[in-house]
Amino acid sequence: MKDREILLIVTSVILTLIFSNLSLFLKSFASTPFASPEIKQAARQIEIDGFRKSEQDFWSQIKDINFDSLPKESELPPVTTERKAAVEPPKPANAKKPTPAKPKLTRPYRKFLCIGDSVMFDLGIQLQYTLKKKYNIPDTKIEYKVSTGLNRIDYYDWYARSRQIINNYQPDVVIVLFGANDPQNIIDFQGKARAVMTKEWQKAYQERVERYANLLDSSSVRKVYWIGQSIPKKSLYLKAFPVMNEIYKNASKSSAKIEFISTWERFTEAGKFVPVVADKSGKRGYVKVNDGVHFTSHGAKIISDLIVDEMVTDKILKTPKKKTL
């Protein structure tokens, strides 16, 4: 009798525990090998229901938050380096590195314009030949006018003509050579006559050159080569050209677009003019005609090579690749 009473008591306690936490009992019993499929399904449903209730409670708490009562970003304490390291998530090990930006392609220089007097005509012909034969650049133009320069703009206005030809032709590179006709009296911008080579003349001529340089600098031209006068034979030019070359050189300094190329030393030896000079290949020949100012074809080739070499250095010109058979 006593054993039966003890069994009833134990059974009552077990049933009480089961019904007081049925979900826990089912989940525990479902993990045993004695549980039937139905009991396992019931335990799984209880687990899902519990998860849903927890999720609902979480979102209910979020909705109840008063965001207006939260401190503003400016009121929050500063985050130290150590704190940042603790809160920032680590970067994935397989994160891709940022792709470097591709370098901008440089538009090639394809159109070349030679501007100047009759001395430029001799030089321009040789430049055209070299650019086409060696660098495969056929689009060149020579704009020259005999007996002109930057002095007698009343006779020929190079400012207006240059602006016109640049707008029409749209060159990438301009090669300028003036000066052979400029050592004469000048009328400055105030309308006053200035005797050649005086300080007043030099100031007036400098104003002319600077005005022309500003015209080129503000144009669509990408690069300008201002060619200095080479050493002459006649004493008048021998005195004037160094002064004029210095004016050209100084005017080019105010623009990153304009580059002055000195040719004076190319036909000199011990500081004096020499009539016969060797070119790059070693071939010797006369460099000036009888007037001592204009080039022979040999002299034009030497100065042309000097200019072309500078263009190569500046990466204006690139030797075209040879075609493979």
Side-chain angles (χ1 to χ4, degrees):
M1 185 68 182
K2 289 183 178 179
D3 294 338
R4 190 175 181 180
E5 290 177 355
I6 293 172
L7 180 61
L8 289 173
I9 293 171
V10 171
T11 303
S12 300
V13 171
I14 293 173
L15 290 174
T16 302
L17 291 174
I18 290 174
F19 286 106
S20 63
N21 199 342
L22 180 62
S23 61
L24 179 62
F25 172 77
L26 283 176
K27 286 190 286 184
S28 300
F29 187 75
S31 60
T32 66
F34 305 105
S36 65
E38 289 78 8
I39 293 177
K40 289 182 178 181
Q41 180 63 32
R44 177 62 178 162
Q45 188 62 45
I46 291 172
E47 184 178 359
I48 292 173
D49 291 341
F51 174 79
R52 286 176 178 171
K53 186 176 185 304
S54 299
E55 185 181 30
Q56 289 173 357
D57 292 340
F58 170 78
W59 286 111
S60 297
Q61 292 176 4
I62 293 293
K63 292 175 183 178
D64 292 339
I65 293 176
N66 183 7
F67 287 94
D68 295 332
S69 65
L70 293 176
K72 298 180 180 179
E73 184 176 355
S74 58
E75 298 174 352
L76 294 174
V79 180
T80 62
T81 306
E82 292 77 8
R83 187 176 176 184
K84 283 184 179 180
V87 299
E88 290 182 357
K91 295 181 180 179
N94 59 348
K96 294 183 179 179
K97 295 182 179 179
T99 304
K102 294 182 179 180
K104 294 182 179 180
L105 297 178
T106 304
R107 180 164 53 92
Y109 297 82
R110 303 302 301 172
K111 301 179 76 173
F112 291 71
L113 172 64
C114 299
I115 293 180
D117 51 29
S118 55
V119 180
M120 169 52 86
F121 175 75
D122 300 321
L123 177 60
I125 293 295
Q126 184 60 51
L127 278 168
Q128 278 188 324
Y129 176 80
T130 303
L131 291 174
K132 184 176 182 179
K133 183 179 180 181
K134 191 173 180 179
Y135 295 95
N136 194 28
I137 298 177
D139 199 349
T140 58
K141 186 176 183 63
I142 302 175
E143 183 68 21
Y144 81 102
K145 182 72 174 177
V146 176
S147 301
T148 63
L150 297 179
N151 186 329
R152 292 292 305 275
I153 55 176
D154 58 317
Y155 169 69
Y156 192 82
D157 189 350
W158 268 112
Y159 304 114
R161 180 54 185 157
S162 297
R163 195 178 292 110
Q164 182 184 44
I165 192 66
I166 289 173
N167 289 339
N168 293 339
Y169 181 58
Q170 292 292 311
D172 295 305
V173 181
V174 170
I175 302 98
V176 177
L177 177 57
F178 288 118
N181 302 298
D182 287 343
Q184 55 180 298
N185 295 343
I186 195 170
I187 304 297
D188 64 17
F189 288 120
Q190 287 74 42
K192 296 181 179 180
R194 305 298 184 181
V196 64
M197 286 297 110
T198 60
K199 289 184 179 180
E200 292 78 13
W201 184 95
Q202 293 179 36
K203 182 179 179 181
Y205 189 67
Q206 180 178 336
E207 289 176 349
R208 301 281 177 87
V209 171
E210 288 177 349
R211 179 183 171 187
Y212 193 76
N214 290 336
L215 183 155
L216 296 174
D217 185 58
S218 61
S219 72
S220 60
V221 177
R222 299 165 63 193
K223 184 68 177 181
V224 177
Y225 290 98
W226 197 306
I227 314 305
Q229 290 292 327
S230 59
I231 188 171
K233 288 192 298 184
K234 295 183 178 180
S235 58
L236 171 63
Y237 296 110
L238 196 60
K239 180 181 178 181
F241 282 176
V243 175
M244 296 163 67
N245 282 342
E246 194 65 24
I247 291 174
Y248 304 146
K249 183 178 180 180
N250 289 335
S252 68
K253 290 179 180 179
S254 62
S255 169
K257 184 186 294 185
I258 304 175
E259 183 175 341
F260 176 76
I261 296 182
S262 175
T263 64
W264 189 267
E265 301 81 7
R266 195 63 186 86
F267 301 151
T268 64
E269 190 173 299
K272 295 183 178 182
F273 172 77
V274 288
V276 179
V277 178
D279 62 13
K280 291 175 68 175
S281 67
K283 181 182 178 181
R284 295 176 63 82
Y286 286 95
V287 295
K288 295 289 183 75
V289 298
N290 292 335
D291 65 9
V293 176
H294 290 79
F295 300 121
T296 63
S297 58
H298 182 75
K301 183 179 184 303
I302 292 174
I303 301 303
S304 173
D305 288 343
L306 184 67
I307 298 169
V308 167
D309 288 347
E310 191 65 32
M311 290 181 179
V312 172
T313 301
D314 295 339
K315 298 182 179 180
I316 301 295
L317 295 176
K318 295 181 180 180
T319 305
K321 296 180 180 179
K322 294 181 179 181
K323 295 182 180 180
T324 56
L325 298 177

